[in-house]
């Protein structure tokens, strides 16, 4: 079994790279490879940072792509290299020391599952979401809001074919994570939670998981995201066409009860009629 830890690195995240690479160096197993897609960083600077942690990585320079295209390319590069298990981490986050070992073990025990996900914690160590389900197989479980992201996911690449990866190129919006996991679930694939490990998620201007700020700006932003998300998936199932209809206007929505749930895009709830 070949396991690879993959990530996209970019210049705006340079301030966080030391934390990220330190967490990789502290993994309880070294039986994995490191694959990095370099968006726009100076290659020599990236090598200098890596050398400080005695990490050996395969680095592929892929400038001029959108964030979604970079993640698709990461899947494609892993598939081309005959990777069995691709563990993802965002370079502005940290991995718990047990993450790689635990994901590998769960993958070995559950080879029928296509993706794996683990808990998210804040930089202070607090859980960022309520208890995640042990398993997810129904796309409607992430229909209204989402708990799956590329910072806390891993993929059984034996289950994902090149045709599926190529089909993801149709996506042209911003929230690729939600789209990707919806597509996998629509294909009939299942995901499983990995216990005893976590991803430390860094909240900053571009990372807003866990925020429950009901400002007018955030409300309208979520409405826009949901409309685009459902539009991108409606050709795959009538459920999304109905969601498009429900979220056509803000007047068709009400404020969701987010006191105990902190999933992505969980401020609005469609009014059923």
């Amino acid at each position: 079994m070949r396991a690879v830890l993959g990530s996209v690195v970019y210049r705006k995240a340079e301030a966080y790279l030391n934390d990220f690479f330190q967490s990789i160096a502290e993994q309880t197993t070294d039986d994995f490879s490191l694959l990095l897609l370099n968006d726009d960083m100076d290659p020599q600077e990236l090598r200098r940072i890596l050398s400080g942690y005695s990490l050996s990585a395969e680095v592929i320079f892929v400038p001029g792509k959108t964030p979604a295209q970079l993640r698709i390319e990461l899947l494609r590069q892993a598939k081309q290299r005959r990777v069995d298990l691709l563990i993802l981490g965002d370079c502005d986050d940290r991995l718990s020391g047990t993450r790689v070992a635990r994901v590998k073990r769960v993958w070995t025990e559950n080879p029928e599952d296509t993706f794996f996900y683990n808990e998210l914690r804040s930089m202070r160590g607090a859980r960022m979401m309520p208890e995640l389900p042990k398993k997810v197989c129904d796309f409607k479980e992430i229909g209204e809001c989402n708990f799956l992201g590329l910072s806390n996911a891993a993929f059984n690449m034996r289950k994902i074919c090149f045709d599926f990866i190529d089909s993801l190129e149709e996506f042209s919006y911003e929230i690729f994570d939600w789209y990707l996991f919806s597509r996998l679930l629509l294909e009939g694939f299942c995901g499983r939670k990995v216990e005893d490990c976590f991803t430390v998620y860094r909240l900053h201007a571009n990372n807003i998981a866990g925020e429950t700020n009901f400002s007018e700006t955030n409300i309208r932003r979520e409405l826009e995201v949901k409309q685009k998300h459902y539009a991108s998936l409606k050709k795959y199932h009538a459920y999304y066409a109905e969601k498009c209809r429900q979220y056509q206007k803000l007047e068709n929505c009400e404020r969701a009860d987010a006191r105990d749930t902190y999933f992505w895009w969980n401020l609005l709830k469609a009014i059923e009629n």
Side-chain angles (χ1 to χ4, degrees):
M1 189 265 280
R2 185 183 179 199
V4 165
L5 176 60
S7 187
V8 175
V9 295
Y10 51 96
R11 191 164 45 206
K12 288 185 178 179
E14 273 191 54
Y16 313 125
L17 288 183
N18 284 302
D19 267 1
F20 178 62
F21 290 139
Q22 179 68 41
S23 72
I24 294 174
E26 292 173 350
Q27 292 300 302
T28 58
T29 178
D30 59 4
D31 187 18
F32 66 96
S33 303
L34 183 57
L35 175 63
L36 302 176
L37 297 194
N38 182 2
D39 179 14
D40 59 358
M41 278 192 67
D42 178 274
Q44 291 185 342
E45 177 62 14
L46 177 57
R47 288 293 180 189
R48 185 194 67 78
I49 297 173
L50 280 166
S51 67
Y53 300 95
S54 300
L55 292 174
S56 176
E58 181 180 3
V59 180
I60 305 171
F61 190 51
V62 282
K65 292 184 179 290
T66 67
Q69 289 171 339
L70 286 163
R71 273 67 187 180
I72 295 168
E73 186 61 26
L74 190 53
L75 291 170
R76 184 178 289 116
Q77 292 290 338
K79 190 67 178 177
Q80 289 174 351
R81 284 158 177 74
R82 300 175 183 263
V83 170
D84 297 304
L85 178 64
L86 175 63
I87 304 169
L88 295 185
D90 286 347
C91 71
D92 51 358
D93 295 334
R94 287 181 55 87
L95 317 178
S96 70
T98 58
R99 186 167 176 230
V100 172
R102 287 295 304 159
V103 173
K104 286 180 62 178
R105 178 174 177 179
V106 172
W107 179 88
T108 301
E109 294 171 347
N110 303 277
E112 75 283 359
D113 291 322
T114 302
F115 63 92
F116 307 92
Y117 52 93
N118 53 260
E119 188 177 280
L120 286 176
R121 293 189 185 177
S122 71
M123 297 301 289
R124 296 182 178 180
R127 176 186 285 173
M128 294 193 64
M129 292 186 180
E131 185 68 30
L132 300 180
K134 302 297 183 184
K135 193 163 184 175
V136 56
C137 293
D138 187 343
F139 64 89
K140 293 180 183 178
E141 291 184 65
I142 58 168
E144 286 278 355
C145 51
N146 183 35
F147 57 85
L148 300 168
L150 297 182
S151 62
N152 65 327
F155 297 97
N156 180 353
M157 296 304 297
R158 294 180 182 178
K159 294 281 191 175
I160 300 175
C161 66
F162 279 113
D163 285 346
F164 178 81
I165 295 172
D166 291 343
S167 76
L168 301 173
E169 295 283 0
E170 70 178 16
F171 186 80
S172 59
Y173 302 124
E174 301 165 56
I175 313 302
F176 178 67
D177 305 42
W178 197 5
Y179 167 83
L180 171 59
F181 288 105
S182 298
R183 285 286 313 277
L184 287 169
L185 292 167
L186 282 161
E187 290 285 328
F189 294 133
C190 291
R192 182 179 298 273
K193 184 183 178 186
V194 181
E195 304 287 357
D196 302 320
C197 69
F198 54 89
T199 298
V200 180
Y201 191 88
R202 191 186 304 272
L203 284 171
H204 55 79
N206 296 319
N207 279 3
I208 58 173
E211 286 193 334
T212 51
N213 183 344
F214 287 92
S215 70
E216 182 178 352
T217 298
N218 286 351
I219 289 288
R220 293 195 176 276
R221 168 66 172 151
E222 178 165 320
L223 179 63
E224 177 187 355
V225 165
K226 285 187 169 178
Q227 288 171 335
K228 290 180 178 179
H229 175 69
Y230 299 136
S232 71
L233 292 167
K234 64 182 182 181
K235 72 178 184 179
Y236 295 103
H237 200 283
Y239 170 84
Y240 296 105
E242 175 61 15
K243 287 299 171 187
C244 277
R245 186 194 65 78
Q246 292 175 343
Y247 280 96
Q248 281 177 346
K249 296 180 181 179
L250 189 57
E251 291 75 16
N252 297 335
C253 309
E254 62 184 3
R255 175 171 161 162
D257 184 358
R259 290 175 299 178
D260 300 313
T261 56
Y262 295 87
F263 299 151
W264 287 283
W265 320 116
N266 195 42
L267 301 180
L268 294 176
K269 180 181 179 181
I271 298 173
E272 304 289 341
N273 53 46

